[in-house]
Short mmCIF file of all heavy atoms in Angstrom, two decimals:
data_model
loop_
_atom_site.label_atom_id
_atom_site.label_comp_id
_atom_site.label_asym_id
_atom_site.label_seq_id
_atom_site.Cartn_x
_atom_site.Cartn_y
_atom_site.Cartn_z
N GLU V 151 25.81 24.49 -12.41
CA GLU V 151 26.42 24.22 -11.11
C GLU V 151 25.70 24.97 -10.00
O GLU V 151 25.48 24.42 -8.90
CB GLU V 151 27.90 24.59 -11.14
CG GLU V 151 28.75 23.63 -11.97
CD GLU V 151 30.17 24.11 -12.17
OE1 GLU V 151 30.41 25.34 -12.11
OE2 GLU V 151 31.05 23.27 -12.40
N MET V 152 25.30 26.21 -10.26
CA MET V 152 24.56 26.97 -9.25
C MET V 152 23.22 26.30 -8.94
O MET V 152 22.80 26.25 -7.78
CB MET V 152 24.35 28.41 -9.72
CG MET V 152 25.61 29.26 -9.62
SD MET V 152 25.30 31.04 -9.84
CE MET V 152 25.11 31.11 -11.62
N GLN V 153 22.57 25.76 -9.95
CA GLN V 153 21.30 25.07 -9.69
C GLN V 153 21.53 23.79 -8.90
O GLN V 153 20.73 23.42 -8.05
CB GLN V 153 20.56 24.79 -11.00
CG GLN V 153 19.12 24.31 -10.82
CD GLN V 153 18.23 25.31 -10.11
OE1 GLN V 153 18.47 25.65 -8.93
NE2 GLN V 153 17.21 25.79 -10.78
N ARG V 154 22.65 23.11 -9.16
CA ARG V 154 22.96 21.92 -8.37
C ARG V 154 23.25 22.30 -6.91
O ARG V 154 22.90 21.55 -5.99
CB ARG V 154 24.15 21.17 -8.98
CG ARG V 154 23.74 20.31 -10.17
CD ARG V 154 24.85 19.38 -10.58
NE ARG V 154 25.79 20.00 -11.49
CZ ARG V 154 27.01 19.54 -11.76
NH1 ARG V 154 27.46 18.46 -11.15
NH2 ARG V 154 27.79 20.17 -12.61
N VAL V 155 23.88 23.45 -6.70
CA VAL V 155 24.07 23.93 -5.32
C VAL V 155 22.71 24.15 -4.66
O VAL V 155 22.51 23.78 -3.49
CB VAL V 155 24.90 25.24 -5.30
CG1 VAL V 155 24.89 25.85 -3.89
CG2 VAL V 155 26.33 24.97 -5.73
N SER V 156 21.76 24.73 -5.38
CA SER V 156 20.44 24.98 -4.80
C SER V 156 19.72 23.66 -4.50
O SER V 156 18.96 23.57 -3.52
CB SER V 156 19.60 25.87 -5.71
OG SER V 156 19.17 25.20 -6.86
N ILE V 157 19.94 22.64 -5.33
CA ILE V 157 19.35 21.32 -5.04
C ILE V 157 20.00 20.73 -3.79
O ILE V 157 19.31 20.16 -2.93
CB ILE V 157 19.51 20.38 -6.25
CG1 ILE V 157 18.64 20.87 -7.42
CG2 ILE V 157 19.11 18.95 -5.87
CD1 ILE V 157 18.82 20.07 -8.69
N ALA V 158 21.32 20.85 -3.68
CA ALA V 158 22.00 20.36 -2.48
C ALA V 158 21.46 21.06 -1.24
O ALA V 158 21.26 20.43 -0.18
CB ALA V 158 23.50 20.57 -2.60
N ARG V 159 21.23 22.37 -1.35
CA ARG V 159 20.65 23.12 -0.22
C ARG V 159 19.26 22.58 0.12
O ARG V 159 18.89 22.48 1.30
CB ARG V 159 20.57 24.60 -0.59
CG ARG V 159 20.02 25.51 0.51
CD ARG V 159 19.98 26.95 0.03
NE ARG V 159 19.15 27.08 -1.17
CZ ARG V 159 19.22 28.12 -2.01
NH1 ARG V 159 20.07 29.09 -1.81
NH2 ARG V 159 18.44 28.15 -3.07
N ALA V 160 18.49 22.22 -0.90
CA ALA V 160 17.16 21.66 -0.65
C ALA V 160 17.23 20.29 0.03
O ALA V 160 16.30 19.89 0.73
CB ALA V 160 16.40 21.53 -1.98
N LEU V 161 18.34 19.59 -0.17
CA LEU V 161 18.48 18.23 0.36
C LEU V 161 19.14 18.16 1.73
O LEU V 161 19.05 17.13 2.40
CB LEU V 161 19.32 17.39 -0.61
CG LEU V 161 18.72 17.08 -1.97
CD1 LEU V 161 19.74 16.39 -2.85
CD2 LEU V 161 17.47 16.24 -1.82
N VAL V 162 19.79 19.24 2.15
CA VAL V 162 20.70 19.16 3.30
C VAL V 162 19.99 18.77 4.59
O VAL V 162 20.59 18.16 5.48
CB VAL V 162 21.50 20.47 3.45
CG1 VAL V 162 20.63 21.59 4.03
CG2 VAL V 162 22.75 20.25 4.29
N CYS V 163 18.71 19.09 4.72
CA CYS V 163 17.95 18.73 5.92
C CYS V 163 17.21 17.41 5.76
O CYS V 163 16.37 17.05 6.59
CB CYS V 163 16.96 19.84 6.28
SG CYS V 163 17.75 21.38 6.79
N ASN V 164 17.51 16.68 4.67
CA ASN V 164 16.88 15.39 4.39
C ASN V 164 15.35 15.49 4.40
O ASN V 164 14.66 14.80 5.15
CB ASN V 164 17.34 14.34 5.40
CG ASN V 164 16.95 12.92 4.98
OD1 ASN V 164 16.81 12.64 3.79
ND2 ASN V 164 16.75 12.05 5.96
N PRO V 165 14.78 16.35 3.54
CA PRO V 165 13.33 16.56 3.55
C PRO V 165 12.56 15.39 2.95
O PRO V 165 13.10 14.60 2.17
CB PRO V 165 13.18 17.81 2.67
CG PRO V 165 14.29 17.69 1.69
CD PRO V 165 15.44 17.11 2.46
N ASP V 166 11.29 15.31 3.29
CA ASP V 166 10.41 14.32 2.68
C ASP V 166 9.96 14.76 1.29
O ASP V 166 9.73 13.93 0.41
CB ASP V 166 9.15 14.10 3.55
CG ASP V 166 9.48 13.55 4.91
OD1 ASP V 166 10.44 12.75 5.01
OD2 ASP V 166 8.79 13.91 5.88
N ILE V 167 9.81 16.08 1.11
CA ILE V 167 9.21 16.64 -0.10
C ILE V 167 10.14 17.70 -0.68
O ILE V 167 10.67 18.54 0.05
CB ILE V 167 7.84 17.27 0.19
CG1 ILE V 167 6.93 16.28 0.91
CG2 ILE V 167 7.18 17.77 -1.09
CD1 ILE V 167 5.72 16.94 1.55
N ILE V 168 10.30 17.68 -2.00
CA ILE V 168 11.05 18.72 -2.70
C ILE V 168 10.09 19.44 -3.64
O ILE V 168 9.44 18.81 -4.48
CB ILE V 168 12.23 18.14 -3.49
CG1 ILE V 168 13.23 17.50 -2.52
CG2 ILE V 168 12.91 19.21 -4.33
CD1 ILE V 168 14.30 16.70 -3.20
N PHE V 169 10.00 20.76 -3.49
CA PHE V 169 9.21 21.59 -4.38
C PHE V 169 10.16 22.29 -5.35
O PHE V 169 11.12 22.94 -4.92
CB PHE V 169 8.41 22.63 -3.60
CG PHE V 169 7.31 22.06 -2.76
CD1 PHE V 169 7.49 21.83 -1.41
CD2 PHE V 169 6.09 21.74 -3.34
CE1 PHE V 169 6.47 21.30 -0.63
CE2 PHE V 169 5.06 21.20 -2.57
CZ PHE V 169 5.25 20.98 -1.23
N ALA V 170 9.90 22.15 -6.64
CA ALA V 170 10.75 22.75 -7.66
C ALA V 170 9.89 23.64 -8.55
O ALA V 170 8.94 23.17 -9.17
CB ALA V 170 11.43 21.67 -8.49
N ASP V 171 10.22 24.92 -8.59
CA ASP V 171 9.45 25.90 -9.37
C ASP V 171 10.28 26.33 -10.59
O ASP V 171 11.24 27.07 -10.46
CB ASP V 171 9.12 27.12 -8.51
CG ASP V 171 8.07 28.02 -9.15
OD1 ASP V 171 7.72 27.79 -10.32
OD2 ASP V 171 7.60 28.95 -8.48
N GLU V 172 9.92 25.79 -11.76
CA GLU V 172 10.65 26.07 -13.01
C GLU V 172 12.15 25.86 -12.82
O GLU V 172 12.96 26.76 -13.10
CB GLU V 172 10.36 27.49 -13.50
CG GLU V 172 8.90 27.79 -13.77
CD GLU V 172 8.38 27.16 -15.06
OE1 GLU V 172 9.17 26.48 -15.77
OE2 GLU V 172 7.19 27.33 -15.36
N PRO V 173 12.59 24.67 -12.37
CA PRO V 173 14.00 24.49 -12.00
C PRO V 173 14.98 24.57 -13.17
O PRO V 173 16.18 24.77 -12.95
CB PRO V 173 14.02 23.09 -11.38
CG PRO V 173 12.86 22.38 -12.02
CD PRO V 173 11.80 23.44 -12.18
N THR V 174 14.49 24.42 -14.41
CA THR V 174 15.40 24.51 -15.56
C THR V 174 15.18 25.79 -16.37
O THR V 174 15.74 25.95 -17.45
CB THR V 174 15.21 23.29 -16.50
OG1 THR V 174 13.89 23.34 -17.08
CG2 THR V 174 15.38 21.99 -15.74
N GLY V 175 14.39 26.71 -15.83
CA GLY V 175 14.00 27.90 -16.57
C GLY V 175 15.16 28.79 -16.98
O GLY V 175 15.09 29.48 -18.00
N ASN V 176 16.26 28.80 -16.21
CA ASN V 176 17.41 29.66 -16.52
C ASN V 176 18.59 28.87 -17.07
O ASN V 176 19.72 29.37 -17.09
CB ASN V 176 17.86 30.42 -15.27
CG ASN V 176 16.94 31.59 -14.96
OD1 ASN V 176 16.30 32.14 -15.84
ND2 ASN V 176 16.87 31.96 -13.69
N LEU V 177 18.32 27.63 -17.53
CA LEU V 177 19.41 26.76 -17.97
C LEU V 177 19.28 26.39 -19.44
O LEU V 177 18.18 26.36 -19.99
CB LEU V 177 19.42 25.47 -17.13
CG LEU V 177 19.53 25.64 -15.61
CD1 LEU V 177 19.45 24.28 -14.93
CD2 LEU V 177 20.81 26.35 -15.23
N ASP V 178 20.42 26.06 -20.06
CA ASP V 178 20.38 25.54 -21.42
C ASP V 178 19.91 24.09 -21.39
O ASP V 178 19.72 23.50 -20.32
CB ASP V 178 21.74 25.69 -22.12
CG ASP V 178 22.86 24.95 -21.40
OD1 ASP V 178 22.60 23.92 -20.75
OD2 ASP V 178 24.02 25.40 -21.47
N ARG V 179 19.70 23.52 -22.56
CA ARG V 179 19.12 22.18 -22.64
C ARG V 179 19.95 21.12 -21.91
O ARG V 179 19.41 20.31 -21.16
CB ARG V 179 18.95 21.78 -24.11
CG ARG V 179 18.24 20.44 -24.32
CD ARG V 179 18.08 20.13 -25.80
NE ARG V 179 17.41 18.87 -26.02
CZ ARG V 179 16.09 18.73 -26.06
NH1 ARG V 179 15.31 19.77 -25.91
NH2 ARG V 179 15.54 17.54 -26.26
N LYS V 180 21.28 21.15 -22.13
CA LYS V 180 22.14 20.14 -21.51
C LYS V 180 22.09 20.22 -19.99
O LYS V 180 21.91 19.20 -19.31
CB LYS V 180 23.58 20.30 -22.00
CG LYS V 180 24.53 19.27 -21.41
CD LYS V 180 25.96 19.49 -21.87
CE LYS V 180 26.90 18.49 -21.20
NZ LYS V 180 28.33 18.73 -21.59
N ASN V 181 22.27 21.43 -19.45
CA ASN V 181 22.22 21.59 -17.99
C ASN V 181 20.84 21.27 -17.44
O ASN V 181 20.70 20.71 -16.35
CB ASN V 181 22.64 23.01 -17.60
CG ASN V 181 24.15 23.18 -17.61
OD1 ASN V 181 24.87 22.44 -16.96
ND2 ASN V 181 24.63 24.15 -18.36
N GLY V 182 19.80 21.63 -18.20
CA GLY V 182 18.44 21.30 -17.78
C GLY V 182 18.23 19.80 -17.67
O GLY V 182 17.60 19.32 -16.73
N GLN V 183 18.77 19.06 -18.62
CA GLN V 183 18.65 17.60 -18.59
C GLN V 183 19.37 17.03 -17.37
O GLN V 183 18.88 16.08 -16.74
CB GLN V 183 19.21 17.01 -19.87
CG GLN V 183 18.34 17.25 -21.10
CD GLN V 183 18.98 16.78 -22.38
OE1 GLN V 183 20.20 16.66 -22.48
NE2 GLN V 183 18.16 16.51 -23.39
N GLU V 184 20.53 17.59 -17.03
CA GLU V 184 21.27 17.12 -15.85
C GLU V 184 20.48 17.35 -14.58
O GLU V 184 20.41 16.47 -13.70
CB GLU V 184 22.63 17.81 -15.78
CG GLU V 184 23.61 17.38 -16.85
CD GLU V 184 24.94 18.09 -16.74
OE1 GLU V 184 25.08 18.95 -15.84
OE2 GLU V 184 25.85 17.78 -17.53
N ILE V 185 19.86 18.54 -14.47
CA ILE V 185 19.06 18.86 -13.28
C ILE V 185 17.85 17.94 -13.18
O ILE V 185 17.54 17.41 -12.11
CB ILE V 185 18.63 20.34 -13.31
CG1 ILE V 185 19.84 21.26 -13.21
CG2 ILE V 185 17.62 20.63 -12.20
CD1 ILE V 185 20.73 21.03 -12.01
N MET V 186 17.19 17.71 -14.30
CA MET V 186 16.01 16.83 -14.29
C MET V 186 16.41 15.40 -13.95
O MET V 186 15.67 14.68 -13.26
CB MET V 186 15.29 16.89 -15.63
CG MET V 186 14.61 18.22 -15.92
SD MET V 186 13.52 18.78 -14.58
CE MET V 186 12.36 17.41 -14.51
N GLY V 187 17.59 14.98 -14.41
CA GLY V 187 18.07 13.65 -14.05
C GLY V 187 18.29 13.50 -12.56
O GLY V 187 17.97 12.45 -11.98
N ILE V 188 18.80 14.55 -11.93
CA ILE V 188 19.01 14.53 -10.48
C ILE V 188 17.67 14.45 -9.75
O ILE V 188 17.49 13.65 -8.82
CB ILE V 188 19.80 15.77 -10.03
CG1 ILE V 188 21.25 15.70 -10.54
CG2 ILE V 188 19.80 15.89 -8.49
CD1 ILE V 188 22.03 16.98 -10.35
N LEU V 189 16.70 15.27 -10.17
CA LEU V 189 15.39 15.25 -9.53
C LEU V 189 14.72 13.89 -9.71
O LEU V 189 14.06 13.38 -8.78
CB LEU V 189 14.51 16.37 -10.09
CG LEU V 189 14.95 17.80 -9.76
CD1 LEU V 189 14.06 18.81 -10.48
CD2 LEU V 189 14.92 18.05 -8.25
N LYS V 190 14.88 13.29 -10.89
CA LYS V 190 14.29 11.97 -11.13
C LYS V 190 14.92 10.92 -10.22
O LYS V 190 14.22 10.08 -9.65
CB LYS V 190 14.50 11.58 -12.60
CG LYS V 190 13.92 10.22 -12.98
CD LYS V 190 12.41 10.22 -12.84
CE LYS V 190 11.81 8.91 -13.33
NZ LYS V 190 10.33 8.88 -13.15
N GLU V 191 16.24 10.99 -10.05
CA GLU V 191 16.92 10.04 -9.18
C GLU V 191 16.46 10.20 -7.73
O GLU V 191 16.27 9.22 -7.01
CB GLU V 191 18.43 10.23 -9.29
CG GLU V 191 19.25 9.30 -8.39
CD GLU V 191 19.01 7.82 -8.68
OE1 GLU V 191 18.64 7.47 -9.83
OE2 GLU V 191 19.18 7.01 -7.74
#
Side-chain angles (χ1 to χ4, degrees):
E151 288 171 335
M152 285 192 283
Q153 190 61 297
R154 280 192 275 163
V155 171
S156 72
I157 292 175
R159 182 180 58 199
L161 293 173
V162 75
C163 294
N164 192 27
D166 297 326
I167 307 165
I168 296 170
F169 291 99
D171 193 352
E172 301 285 0
T174 66
N176 283 334
L177 303 177
D178 60 30
R179 184 179 180 86
K180 180 182 177 182
N181 280 305
Q183 288 174 336
E184 290 180 357
I185 295 304
M186 291 308 301
I188 291 170
L189 293 175
K190 181 64 175 178
E191 179 59 26

